[in-house]
Amino acid sequence: MSTASSKVLVLFGPTAVGKTATIERLQRDDRLPRKPVVVISADSAQVYRGLDIGSAKPSPAERLGTRHELIDILDPSEPFSVGEFCRMADEACERASAEGALPVLSGGTAYYVKSFIYGPPPAPPADGAIRAELQRELSVRGPAALRAELEAVDPESAARIAPADLYRMTRALEVYRYSSRPLSSFAPPSEPRPRWDCLVVGLDRPRDELYARVGARVDAMLASGLEREVDGLLAAGYGRDSPGMKAIGYAEFLDAPMGPDGRRDVRAVAEAIKLHTRRYAKRQLTFMRAIPGVRWFGADDYDGIADAATEWLRSP
């Protein structure tokens, strides 16, 4: 039987749906029997230092009012696996529970969220020597040759991994070379982990409303200095080979068309970010809707969310 200390509220939603506003209200809500709220970020971009504006990272003021974990823990050049995420998220939830706080795992990286609930796929751990050799081959042989190798040894993974996603492509090859088994043969767990009693809340909005919010958010990011942030990261030596720079909101600047004045066409960059974010939001929702047991709420239905959380927290 679960105990109060093993409970984790999982709050999932696509970009711009309103997760932060919901968390702020939970933090202030005296009806909740467990306070304060500690947020464990399930966002694959917010783990990186310097990726602040484009990842919609909580502001210093927001982080002062509510503790956030798994933010600013890596440089943009460092890879971060789902296994590492689950380990660190478990540790953060344990700390929050030991303090009597309510851990809230919140973010839009659906693969992280599912892996926290069910456990990460049982693939082999990272192998530094094989990874270094693959990076050398990538620079010498080129991505097309490694892509062809992956298609030969693991066609299922190759079909699932975008050609531009060099990190996931090399990871799949790393697994094959380490284990002589394709990554796709490592079946993900099918039952939730007994370690945590999770209430999984999904937030949604009408599609046109969500897309309008995405557009407004991207415009606000650019007005807040997103281009300067990207230029600072490039000046620090981070580029298209850095895992952090593959995130939406950053990768688009690396392939930006140039305007007649020889500068980036920022308007075209903005439209690309909006398009990619809309497509990502659709994939996020499709992925999470396939997970059983998620309780879906309209993002503005705070009372429904709070009532469900209160009832769950009071249950044994």
Side-chain angles (χ1 to χ4, degrees):
M1 180 177 292
S2 64
T3 64
S5 61
S6 69
K7 290 179 180 287
V8 178
L9 175 60
V10 178
L11 186 67
F12 170 82
T15 300
V17 76
K19 296 182 293 294
T20 299
T22 298
I23 290 169
E24 289 175 351
R25 294 188 69 177
L26 288 170
Q27 184 73 282
R28 298 192 304 265
D29 195 334
D30 292 334
R31 290 175 293 174
L32 289 184
R34 289 196 46 201
K35 300 285 288 295
V37 163
V38 174
V39 179
I40 293 88
S41 172
D43 187 294
S44 59
Q46 291 184 0
V47 297
Y48 291 111
R49 303 180 190 99
L51 275 66
D52 300 330
I53 299 172
S55 71
K57 198 174 288 179
S59 68
E62 290 169 335
R63 293 164 72 176
L64 186 64
T66 301
R67 191 168 94 225
H68 288 71
E69 301 261 14
L70 272 60
I71 288 178
D72 290 340
I73 59 174
L74 297 173
D75 291 329
S77 58
E78 298 178 270
F80 190 55
S81 71
V82 68
E84 292 168 319
F85 165 77
C86 288
R87 176 182 60 80
M88 298 180 75
D90 282 343
E91 292 170 354
C93 289
E94 291 282 7
R95 284 193 296 271
S97 295
E99 298 165 4
L102 173 63
V104 179
L105 187 92
S106 177
T109 304
Y111 188 50
Y112 283 7
V113 172
K114 182 179 180 182
S115 296
F116 177 83
I117 298 168
Y118 287 85
D127 184 286
I130 296 176
R131 181 167 292 184
E133 175 62 20
L134 282 165
Q135 290 303 311
R136 188 192 69 78
E137 291 183 31
L138 191 62
S139 62
V140 173
R141 298 171 58 199
L146 292 187
R147 178 83 185 180
E149 180 181 337
L150 181 61
E151 289 172 346
V153 300
D154 188 357
E156 185 176 336
S157 291
R160 188 172 65 236
I161 297 171
D165 194 341
L166 302 183
Y167 173 73
R168 291 182 66 203
M169 179 181 73
T170 54
R171 170 59 181 158
L173 284 171
E174 177 189 332
V175 168
Y176 183 79
R177 292 187 184 183
Y178 181 91
S179 66
S180 299
R181 286 177 55 188
L183 177 62
S184 56
S185 72
F186 292 89
S190 59
E191 296 292 332
R193 295 190 293 167
R195 179 172 186 172
W196 301 112
D197 172 12
C198 295
L199 172 65
V200 186
V201 171
L203 302 184
D204 199 3
R205 290 183 182 274
R207 195 59 51 90
D208 56 348
E209 183 180 324
L210 178 64
Y211 287 175
R213 289 170 65 93
V214 165
R217 171 174 282 190
V218 173
D219 290 340
M221 287 175 173
L222 289 164
S224 297
L226 178 56
E227 185 178 19
R228 289 193 303 274
E229 181 172 279
V230 172
D231 285 337
L233 291 163
L234 294 173
Y238 304 115
R240 64 178 68 251
D241 292 334
S242 302
M245 299 298 284
K246 301 181 189 302
I248 296 174
Y250 297 90
E252 291 80 6
F253 282 93
L254 304 184
D255 298 315
M258 306 305 290
D261 58 356
R263 293 177 54 82
R264 290 190 195 99
D265 185 342
V266 179
R267 182 176 296 179
V269 171
E271 291 307 310
I273 295 173
K274 292 174 185 178
L275 174 63
H276 296 161
T277 304
R278 291 194 299 267
R279 289 175 174 171
Y280 182 53
K282 185 177 180 181
R283 293 197 303 272
Q284 288 171 301
L285 289 166
T286 300
F287 187 94
M288 286 300 292
R289 286 198 174 107
I291 298 176
V294 179
R295 297 192 60 179
W296 289 95
F297 293 87
D300 293 326
D301 181 15
Y302 174 76
D303 286 336
I305 297 166
D307 288 345
T310 300
E311 179 182 358
W312 163 72
L313 285 169
R314 288 177 175 160
S315 66

